[in-house]
Amino acid sequence: MPDYLDDLRLAHVLADAADAATTDRFKALDLKVETKPDMTPVSEADKAAEELIRGQLQRARPRDAILGEEYGVEGTGPRRWVIDPIDGTKNYVRGVPVWATLISLMEAGEGGFQPVVGVVSAPALGRRWWAAKGHGAFTGRSLTKASRLNVSRVNKLADASFAYSSLSGWEAQGRLDGFLDLTREVWRTRAYGDFWPYMMVAEGAVDMCAEPELSLWDMAAPSIIVTEAGGTFTGLDARPGPHSGDAAASNGLLHDELLGYLNQRY
């Protein structure tokens, strides 16, 4: 089995470059922000970071395909880099420090493309998380200054911490009743949103999280980090991996109950 460590090192280099570009424009008074056709914001920093990553990938991995949130897919083949230049753009444009660059390498396999490398870099928080298939998940300042991630061992909902993004998406899908029932059963709920809950599941600080509507670039990197930390990452339909258009992540011990509540009246 390939070890993917060279690809992981490259992903760190890409994240370093993106961090420099995004932090330079964070809280800039002249930051340009547009509204995309789906009514979500995109800043000049989103576009610049993705262009930067694409340019470096085209030089370092010219045979690999690239899929990014802002510029779509380019190239074909069994390896595909998946990029979200700024996950949490709404936070970014308002000066909230909870945003990150998400970089993943996916390889063709059974059931389609599956993540084999993932890096989530949140420079305004001073945090970075990463994983490579078969090598575990880590957090730290660099590859050489890192600590291994492990999910929690909480096995009762009454003791569990549950993180989510917002209520509106659950209501739009007709899942709000089950969602609210779940919040009444757990020990604690917090709406951290975006990439952060998945990283806290991987760290063992949160026991489970879920979102009702996501894109592949939102999920590819977090999914391998959660699973390499010993957790479970699926769609709400229980399909493993980042392909369902929604996500549920947990320490594994609580996953069936998590999905049961979120699907109970759907």
Side-chain angles (χ1 to χ4, degrees):
M1 185 180 75
D3 65 17
Y4 302 110
L5 294 181
D6 283 344
D7 295 308
L8 179 60
R9 283 187 281 270
L10 174 59
H12 275 274
V13 171
L14 300 173
D16 289 341
D19 285 356
T22 53
T23 54
D24 183 61
R25 299 298 292 155
F26 185 48
K27 295 186 178 181
L29 296 178
D30 61 344
L31 181 71
K32 294 182 177 65
V33 182
E34 303 170 5
T35 300
K36 293 192 285 189
D38 63 0
M39 301 308 294
T40 60
V42 57
S43 74
E44 62 182 84
D46 291 80
K47 294 180 178 180
E50 183 167 326
E51 288 170 350
L52 187 64
I53 294 170
R54 283 176 178 270
Q56 292 200 14
L57 280 172
Q58 285 162 356
R59 290 188 293 274
R61 297 288 190 275
R63 296 182 180 180
D64 293 351
I66 305 170
L67 170 65
E69 179 177 9
E70 307 307 334
Y71 295 107
V73 66
E74 180 180 1
T76 59
R79 288 166 46 101
R80 176 181 293 177
W81 294 85
V82 180
I83 306 158
D84 189 344
I86 299 180
D87 183 51
T89 298
K90 292 177 182 177
N91 284 343
Y92 184 88
V93 301
R94 290 295 302 271
V96 178
V98 183
W99 49 270
T101 295
L102 279 51
I103 301 169
S104 177
L105 172 63
M106 303 183 75
E107 279 198 343
E110 293 185 17
F113 283 88
Q114 299 298 332
V116 294
V117 167
V119 172
V120 173
S121 189
L125 296 176
R127 299 295 310 277
R128 184 177 290 185
W129 305 262
W130 62 89
K133 184 178 180 180
H135 290 277
F138 296 84
T139 185
R141 294 285 183 176
S142 68
L143 281 165
T144 56
K145 297 179 179 179
S147 56
R148 188 155 191 156
L149 298 175
N150 292 286
V151 296
S152 75
R153 303 303 299 168
V154 172
N155 61 5
K156 295 180 181 178
L157 284 181
D159 299 328
S161 179
F162 171 53
Y164 61 98
S165 53
S166 67
L167 296 179
S168 58
W170 300 105
E171 185 173 29
Q173 287 197 3
R175 299 180 190 263
L176 185 59
D177 288 340
F179 173 89
L180 292 175
D181 285 347
L182 175 61
T183 66
R184 296 182 184 107
E185 294 297 321
V186 299
W187 166 64
R188 192 168 191 252
T189 62
R190 285 294 183 270
Y192 299 108
D194 299 309
F195 67 93
W196 209 6
Y198 303 98
M199 300 303 98
M200 287 190 280
V201 168
E203 292 178 345
V206 166
D207 307 303
M208 54 187 183
C209 65
E211 289 183 88
E213 187 176 4
L214 292 166
S215 298
L216 179 59
W217 45 76
D218 298 313
M219 298 181 283
S223 67
I224 188 169
I225 294 172
V226 168
T227 55
E228 285 291 323
T232 299
F233 190 107
T234 72
L236 297 177
D237 59 2
R239 179 185 178 188
H243 295 288
S244 298
D246 45 44
S250 76
N251 62 7
L253 302 174
L254 299 166
H255 208 78
D256 289 345
E257 289 179 280
L258 171 62
L259 293 180
Y261 273 94
L262 297 178
N263 290 310
Q264 69 177 0
R265 302 184 196 177
Y266 181 60

